Amino acid sequence: MTSSSLNILIIEDADIIVNQLQILLTDQNATNSIRSANSAELGLELVGQSFPDVFILDIKLPGISGIELLSKIKQDYPMASPLIIVLTNMPHSIYKHACLNNGANFFLDKSRDFLVLPEILDSYFIKNEIRNLKFNPPNSSLCNSPM
C-alpha cells in the first residue's frame, strides 16, 4: 500500500455491480485506483502487473470460481496481506465458511451488506496508516547527558 491510498481490484462478472462499486468507492478519500476484471483469470493477470491492497471478489465467476481464486491468491502470494472481501449473492453458510477458511477477511451479501464497504475500507486504511507511522525515539544524546 502506498502512503495515503488504496489500490482496489474488483473481480466481478456483472457490469452493473462493477459500476455500482466504482461509484461507491470512488468517493473514498483513501482510494487511489480501482481496477476490475470480469473473470478470475483476467484478475490474476492484473495481480501480476500490480498487486492490489484490496480484493473484492464474487464467488460465481466464469471459469475459476471466486473461492478457487481466493485459494490461488493465498498460495501464490503467501507473504502478502491484502484485505480480501467476498461480495456475493450466494450468502450460504457453506460458502461463507469456505471463503473465511481460505483467507477472506469479510464475507458480504450483495443485497444486504453492499453499503458497508466504504466503512470497511476506511477502517482498513486508518489501521494501515497508523501501522505505517514511524515512531521517532527521543534524541539519545539527551538521554545520555551527564547530570
Side-chain angles (χ1 to χ4, degrees):
M1 178 166 81
T2 60
S3 179
S4 301
S5 68
L6 290 177
N7 293 309
I8 300 170
L9 177 58
I10 301 167
I11 304 176
E12 166 68 62
D13 62 330
D15 290 338
I16 192 164
I17 298 296
V18 172
N19 291 337
Q20 288 176 329
L21 285 169
Q22 288 175 334
I23 291 167
L24 182 67
L25 302 177
T26 297
D27 291 338
Q28 296 298 111
N29 292 332
T31 302
N32 183 40
S33 76
I34 300 173
R35 298 177 297 155
S36 64
N38 60 7
S39 70
E41 293 82 0
L42 180 56
L44 288 171
E45 287 180 32
L46 294 175
V47 168
Q49 295 170 9
S50 174
F51 196 84
D53 303 307
V54 178
F55 287 87
I56 300 175
L57 307 176
D58 190 12
I59 290 177
K60 190 174 180 185
L61 296 165
I64 299 172
S65 76
I67 296 172
E68 292 169 304
L69 174 61
L70 175 59
S71 295
K72 185 150 182 60
I73 291 166
K74 289 297 189 174
Q75 179 183 354
D76 292 354
Y77 302 94
M79 300 306 290
S81 56
L83 177 66
I84 300 177
I85 302 167
V86 174
L87 183 66
T88 184
N89 278 328
M90 300 171 26
H92 309 292
S93 62
I94 191 162
Y95 296 121
K96 180 178 182 176
H97 292 299
C99 291
L100 296 175
N101 287 338
N102 280 298
N105 301 96
F106 293 92
F107 184 88
L108 305 177
D109 181 345
K110 285 180 189 174
S111 64
R112 193 184 63 211
D113 302 323
F114 199 85
L115 295 177
V116 302
L117 280 168
E119 183 179 332
I120 290 170
L121 293 177
D122 281 345
S123 295
Y124 177 75
F125 177 76
I126 290 167
K127 182 176 121 184
N128 280 300
E129 281 297 297
I130 290 170
R131 188 179 344 170
N132 290 334
L133 288 176
K134 303 281 188 227
F135 174 72
N136 293 322
N139 187 335
S140 61
S141 63
L142 294 175
C143 295
N144 295 328
S145 60
M147 297 187 88

